[in-house]
Amino acid sequence: MPSLRVGVRELCEFVVRSGDLDRRFTPTPTAQQGIAGHRLIAQRRGPGWESEVALEGHWHTLTVTGRADGLDRDRQVIDEVKTHRGPIEAMSQGQRALHWAQARLYGWMLCQAEGFAKLTVRLVYLDVSSLDETLFSETVSAQSLGEFAHSLCERYLNWARQERAHQDARIHFLQTLSFPLKDYRPGQQAMITAVREACTQSQTLRIQAPTGLGKTLGALYPALKAMPERGLDRVYCLTARTTGRQLALETLALLMSQGQSTRSAAEIEHAPPEPSVQPKPTAPLRVLELVARERGCEYPDRQCHPQSCHLAKGFYDRLPVARQAAVKLDLLDFGRVRAIALEHEICPYYLSHELLRHADVVVGDFNHWFDRHALLYSIAGQQDWRVSLLIDEAHHLVDRARQSYSAELAEHDVLAIKGALPPSLRTHLEVFINQWDILRLTHAQKADAAGWRLLQEVPADWLAKLTRLNSAMGQWLAEQAIDPPRTVLDFYFRCQSFQDIADRFSEHSLCELRANRSASSLADDSLVSGLSLALRNVVPADFIDAALAAADSVVMFSATLQPEPFDRHLLGLPETTRSLHLPSPFNPHHLQVRVKPVSTRFERRARTLNTIVDTILDQYRAQPGNYLAFFSSFDYLDSAFARLQNTPDAPPIWKQERHMTESRRHTFLARFQTDGQGIGFAVLGGAFGEGIDLPGTRLIGAFVVTLGLPQVDPLQEAIRERLQTLFGFGFEFTYLYPGLQKVVQAAGRVIRSPSDRGVLVLMDERYTQSRIRRLLPAHWGLQAD
């Protein structure tokens, strides 16, 4: 049998781990802190010290590989380095045993390579807060190390043989995989060719493809075909919405069935979502759905350790049987994962994490690869996997990445937590509270009339006191034998997040101070009350460049990726990035696009509101049916809605409300009945501006009022100035491009299938400008003058 390979970490985590799931020794250091900690340890060692040394060990048909953190051949010493926060005594015995197993395996491999008769094996813990080292050491014979390693290898080998058989079957299946539909949509074959080339040649590819082309299938099918050609270990499909995940799972189920479908690509793209995908096990391809903790946790009010949650008790003892049951299935949506987990009385959320090591395709959210603690990015780096990254709804990535690398702290949150903290932490908190008073004296009084001020940097003394408070809270939390209050945990995580982002503060972000002003009872002057300090990321590129580079190939696709400089600059895409722009697969004459040149600027809205309402009514009376009317804000929407509501013989109308629940959103959409009549009012860029399907006569037209530009305020203007300085596209990147993306997405609700026909009315005088028309889809037929 050919040699089987496994990494040290994977081998130990598979064989050695036992006992309970215990997440109390958290939060763990970030990946960046871990890397910095390993570098610091290497700097502290003397001459002859080597870092990141590649080693191999062999036992029968199994080859064990890895990189030793550090070793000294002359002194016959090898180190395994682990970074942590808080007292080392709080670490569980199971975690310590796992670390020792890794260290001894590296020792075995070094003895094999160098012929040493004995070796000093050291386990080095570095506290990233204090930078103190804790060292454990043992001198052990090569024979003992070999016996230990052989026992682990023997226990792993049967699983490794099973995995090799699965991989061989997967390769054969994908090599013979055929396109599952009876035909291609127009443009879909070109997309498939481009994606396959990108995935086999390690490229970054942007694809703008209108609704109805079948983008999900057009990306997944060639990415799977590329797996055996390129030697890809994993394909990760990331989406911004739950509906995108469901569509990806259904598309994968279709591909895995290997039967020719009688449905077209458009029918697959717009099929109604099902609560759980349940295909028959037919293909040697393991597909796993990842969900957020809010959805995946059975008991969100409990902590992840055995004293709080029974599903954590004995988790690793029962994991092997649950894992074996799971890998017998090919498509593991979270419903199936949950059923297996509960059958074996373990946590479903963390079972899905364990299954990541054995899944071929993972369907998840953007944050699973791009967040600061991104799970997929982390495990791919640990395993040295070659990954193809498919990013659906890629136009959301800029905003989502900005959110991930922004942070905010409010003074009232700091004051509110005071009573929940123990006396040992209150001194640190009082010192930090004093820093808010200093901010008030030095900065808040200089804020504008709205209480806003841009700071050039994070106040150094304020940040230093926050860092000390974080260190003290982290140590206290790690020492707790019982669950600390949820409010304290949440506060600590917010503070730690702020500190982590502040440590990397640069021109890619803004530091803003907000002060709520309350009127004085004694004078007309305003008093500055509650403060908040925020770090607003503007250019995510510096934070996510490593994640993008870690993927072997990246394919971004969306209906709105124009114009190119926007995401290229803000995401830091490589210079070699290719772009593909595909035309609409539908007959362009099926969508009638008209422009009503009326001013919708804020200062003129009251004067032009009658014209807006009359235009909506004229179109409705000329062609009754279901319409969506999109406005740039709830205030603007409410004004137009009230004006139309008071019009004689007004058609049925309904509107999007602020903070709608899921059930109320369903009620809103349910009003769009086949052959129905009425107008739904919605906010541009909101819940109904994209990701909804109302095919046929459920929707025959849309009105888009304004260009969708974000509201001008001091923060937006600061962002504009920063982007102008960095790229020379301040107005475009801050206002114009994001606004027009919302317009195109909203317009895409009208034509959803080849048989659909509809009308789009754009209401704003700026739609007559050639520079605006050049940025809109060509198939709309709005020629630039």
Side-chain angles (χ1 to χ4, degrees):
M1 182 176 182
S3 176
L4 302 167
R5 301 177 70 85
V6 65
V8 166
R9 183 166 184 160
E10 181 182 355
L11 173 59
C12 291
E13 290 187 344
F14 186 89
V15 175
V16 176
R17 282 189 307 178
S18 62
D20 304 326
L21 175 69
D22 193 336
R23 305 291 293 177
R24 281 175 294 188
F25 196 68
T26 56
T28 57
T30 65
Q32 292 84 1
Q33 289 170 329
I35 293 170
H38 280 69
R39 288 174 179 166
L40 177 61
I41 293 295
Q43 293 169 3
R44 290 176 175 178
R45 300 301 184 255
W49 193 257
E50 302 175 57
S51 300
E52 292 294 312
V53 180
L55 294 172
E56 280 192 359
H58 304 276
W59 188 79
H60 294 312
T61 58
L62 187 65
T63 298
V64 184
T65 65
R67 289 184 174 273
D69 292 328
L71 59 85
D72 187 325
R73 298 177 199 270
D74 293 338
R75 294 172 55 215
Q76 299 183 14
V77 174
I78 190 166
D79 277 2
E80 174 69 4
V81 179
K82 300 294 182 184
T83 54
H84 69 98
R85 279 200 183 102
I88 198 67
E89 296 79 12
M91 185 178 295
S92 70
Q93 291 301 311
Q95 189 76 358
R96 188 78 60 82
L98 181 64
H99 296 162
W100 267 121
Q102 294 173 355
R104 289 164 182 157
L105 273 181
Y106 283 119
W108 163 64
M109 291 191 286
L110 184 59
C111 287
Q112 268 200 353
E114 300 293 334
F116 295 150
K118 63 179 181 178
L119 189 71
T120 298
V121 179
R122 303 194 305 193
L123 196 52
V124 182
Y125 289 101
L126 177 72
D127 189 324
V128 296
S129 299
S130 65
L131 301 184
D132 292 334
E133 289 182 42
T134 303
L135 188 147
F136 300 94
S137 176
E138 64 177 15
T139 299
V140 60
S141 69
Q143 180 180 348
S144 295
L145 289 172
E147 291 171 354
F148 174 79
H150 298 164
S151 68
L152 299 191
C153 293
E154 175 63 28
R155 293 162 62 188
Y156 181 78
L157 198 53
N158 285 337
W159 173 267
R161 289 170 179 149
Q162 172 185 294
E163 291 300 280
R164 169 57 64 86
H166 166 76
Q167 291 165 14
D168 291 344
R170 181 189 73 188
I171 290 172
H172 177 73
F173 169 76
L174 294 178
Q175 287 174 335
T176 59
L177 181 66
S178 58
F179 190 69
L181 301 184
K182 62 181 180 180
D183 57 13
Y184 294 99
R185 297 301 304 160
Q188 191 178 46
Q189 197 165 13
M191 178 176 178
I192 288 171
T193 300
V195 172
R196 190 164 180 175
E197 183 178 333
C199 292
T200 54
Q201 298 183 18
S202 189
Q203 297 174 346
T204 299
L205 173 66
R206 303 168 65 257
I207 301 176
Q208 177 166 286
T211 297
L213 183 136
K215 294 186 289 292
T216 305
L217 179 59
L220 280 166
Y221 171 67
L224 293 179
K225 293 293 292 182
M227 285 188 80
E229 297 176 37
R230 176 63 179 165
L232 296 172
D233 297 294
R234 300 292 187 273
V235 170
Y236 290 160
C237 182
L238 308 180
T239 72
R241 298 171 182 263
T242 302
T243 52
R245 273 205 322 270
Q246 186 64 35
L247 177 58
L249 290 170
E250 181 178 307
T251 303
L252 286 160
L254 174 69
L255 286 162
M256 294 158 69
S257 71
Q258 270 296 278
Q260 288 291 319
S261 172
T262 59
R263 292 191 293 173
S264 69
E267 290 169 327
I268 293 294
E269 189 83 15
H270 306 302
E274 301 174 6
S276 180
V277 179
Q278 299 287 341
K280 296 178 181 179
T282 54
L285 187 73
R286 296 178 187 151
V287 174
L288 176 68
E289 179 189 15
L290 274 188
V291 301
R293 190 177 188 278
E294 304 84 71
R295 180 187 166 195
C297 182
E298 288 292 303
Y299 304 103
D301 58 329
R302 303 180 188 178
Q303 298 302 309
C304 296
H305 60 81
Q307 286 73 42
S308 178
C309 179
H310 71 280
L311 296 179
K313 187 172 181 60
F315 178 90
Y316 292 112
D317 298 331
R318 293 191 291 276
L319 173 62
V321 179
R323 176 172 53 208
Q324 188 63 48
V327 298
K328 290 179 180 178
L329 303 178
D330 53 2
L331 187 54
L332 284 162
D333 67 329
F334 191 73
R336 283 185 160 192
V337 173
R338 179 176 181 270
I340 292 170
L342 296 183
E343 180 183 350
H344 294 86
E345 297 185 86
I346 62 175
C347 172
Y349 179 66
Y350 283 105
L351 174 59
S352 69
H353 289 197
E354 294 297 325
L355 294 175
L356 282 175
R357 302 175 185 278
H358 318 297
D360 305 307
V361 182
V362 178
V363 179
D365 189 89
F366 289 171
N367 69 302
H368 290 130
W369 185 266
F370 291 106
D371 268 11
R372 291 185 303 118
H373 301 286
L375 179 63
L376 290 179
Y377 172 54
S378 175
I379 193 171
Q382 293 168 10
Q383 302 295 328
D384 198 25
W385 283 336
R386 183 177 284 181
V387 172
S388 184
L389 208 59
L390 307 181
I391 305 175
D392 194 3
E393 303 173 305
H395 61 282
H396 285 296
L397 185 54
V398 169
D399 280 345
R400 288 284 297 276
R402 282 174 167 173
Q403 293 169 15
S404 292
Y405 295 97
S406 297
E408 183 170 4
L409 275 180
E411 183 181 21
H412 65 79
D413 291 331
V414 180
L415 296 172
I417 202 68
K418 187 175 179 179
L421 293 181
S424 60
L425 294 178
R426 288 177 189 164
T427 299
H428 294 283
L429 186 69
E430 290 288 354
V431 172
F432 186 49
I433 290 173
N434 291 339
Q435 287 298 315
W436 290 93
D437 293 332
I438 295 173
L439 284 184
R440 184 174 289 105
L441 293 172
T442 56
H443 295 294
Q445 297 293 352
K446 301 175 184 178
D448 64 15
W452 186 89
R453 188 182 186 201
L454 183 68
L455 305 184
Q456 296 305 306
E457 59 183 7
V458 185
D461 289 342
W462 182 95
L463 182 58
K465 301 306 185 293
L466 173 65
T467 302
R468 292 178 187 174
L469 175 62
N470 283 343
S471 179
M473 282 197 296
Q475 182 172 344
W476 179 78
L477 288 169
E479 292 172 348
Q480 299 311 296
I482 59 174
D483 293 345
R486 186 75 234 179
T487 53
V488 175
L489 276 176
D490 290 344
F491 177 71
Y492 172 65
F493 291 144
R494 286 202 304 275
C495 290
Q496 191 62 56
S497 175
F498 196 104
Q499 180 189 326
D500 290 344
I501 292 173
D503 288 343
R504 298 185 62 185
F505 183 77
S506 184
E507 63 181 3
H508 50 60
S509 300
L510 301 173
C511 181
E512 57 164 331
L513 182 72
R514 290 190 181 272
N516 298 320
R517 296 184 182 277
S518 57
S520 169
S521 59
L522 301 176
D524 292 333
D525 295 336
S526 293
L527 296 176
V528 176
S529 54
L531 304 178
S532 66
L533 196 65
L535 302 180
R536 303 291 182 200
N537 178 246
V538 177
V539 184
D542 286 356
F543 290 102
I544 69 170
D545 56 354
L548 284 169
D552 187 68
S553 56
V554 178
V555 178
M556 305 168 56
F557 51 103
S558 167
T560 49
L561 277 186
Q562 278 276 61
E564 292 184 28
F566 182 69
D567 52 79
R568 277 181 178 266
H569 285 309
L570 297 185
L571 299 177
L573 302 182
E575 292 295 325
T576 55
T577 299
R578 296 170 50 222
S579 292
L580 176 66
H581 301 286
L582 297 169
S584 173
F586 304 137
N587 187 330
H589 300 296
H590 287 189
L591 178 67
Q592 178 190 357
V593 183
R594 295 193 290 109
V595 172
K596 179 67 176 180
V598 59
S599 176
T600 63
R601 296 179 188 274
F602 183 79
E603 63 275 8
R604 300 196 61 188
R605 288 178 181 175
R607 281 179 281 174
T608 60
L609 193 58
N610 281 338
T611 303
I612 300 293
V613 171
D614 289 344
T615 301
I616 293 174
L617 280 173
D618 288 345
Q619 172 59 40
Y620 179 84
R621 287 165 178 165
Q623 188 179 358
N626 286 328
Y627 291 83
L628 270 169
F630 292 99
F631 292 81
S632 57
S633 68
F634 278 105
D635 288 340
Y636 200 6
L637 179 156
D638 289 340
S639 298
F641 187 88
R643 186 70 57 93
L644 181 55
Q645 197 173 35
N646 293 325
T647 301
D649 300 323
I653 57 176
W654 56 97
K655 67 176 180 175
Q656 177 182 355
E657 304 284 354
R658 292 172 171 84
H659 313 300
M660 289 179 81
T661 63
E662 188 73 24
S663 62
R664 296 195 67 183
R665 287 199 292 269
H666 284 306
T667 301
F668 179 93
L669 291 175
R671 295 286 298 269
F672 293 88
Q673 296 291 325
T674 299
D675 297 326
Q677 295 184 2
I679 305 170
F681 282 62
V683 172
L684 200 61
F688 307 112
E690 61 179 284
I692 63 168
D693 287 304
L694 300 170
T697 58
R698 292 188 66 193
L699 184 71
I700 66 166
F703 308 96
V704 178
V705 185
T706 80
L707 294 182
L709 308 188
Q711 183 176 347
V712 176
D713 61 26
L715 175 58
Q716 291 293 334
E717 282 297 280
I719 293 173
R720 180 189 62 77
E721 292 176 6
R722 179 62 53 85
L723 293 176
Q724 182 67 31
T725 299
L726 292 175
F727 306 116
F729 293 97
F731 173 76
E732 292 84 356
F733 283 9
T734 308
Y735 296 105
L736 185 59
Y737 297 165
L740 291 182
Q741 283 185 349
K742 296 175 186 176
V743 171
V744 175
Q745 284 288 338
R749 302 313 97 204
V750 179
I751 302 295
R752 308 298 292 176
S753 74
S755 61
D756 282 3
R757 285 169 171 76
V759 62
L760 170 64
V761 182
L762 305 172
M763 289 193 245
D764 193 292
E765 59 191 5
R766 288 166 288 186
Y767 285 116
T768 63
Q769 299 175 7
S770 59
R771 73 161 182 157
I772 301 298
R773 293 190 171 201
R774 276 194 290 266
L775 297 172
L776 297 174
H779 65 270
W780 286 5
L782 298 176
Q783 300 299 319
D785 298 332

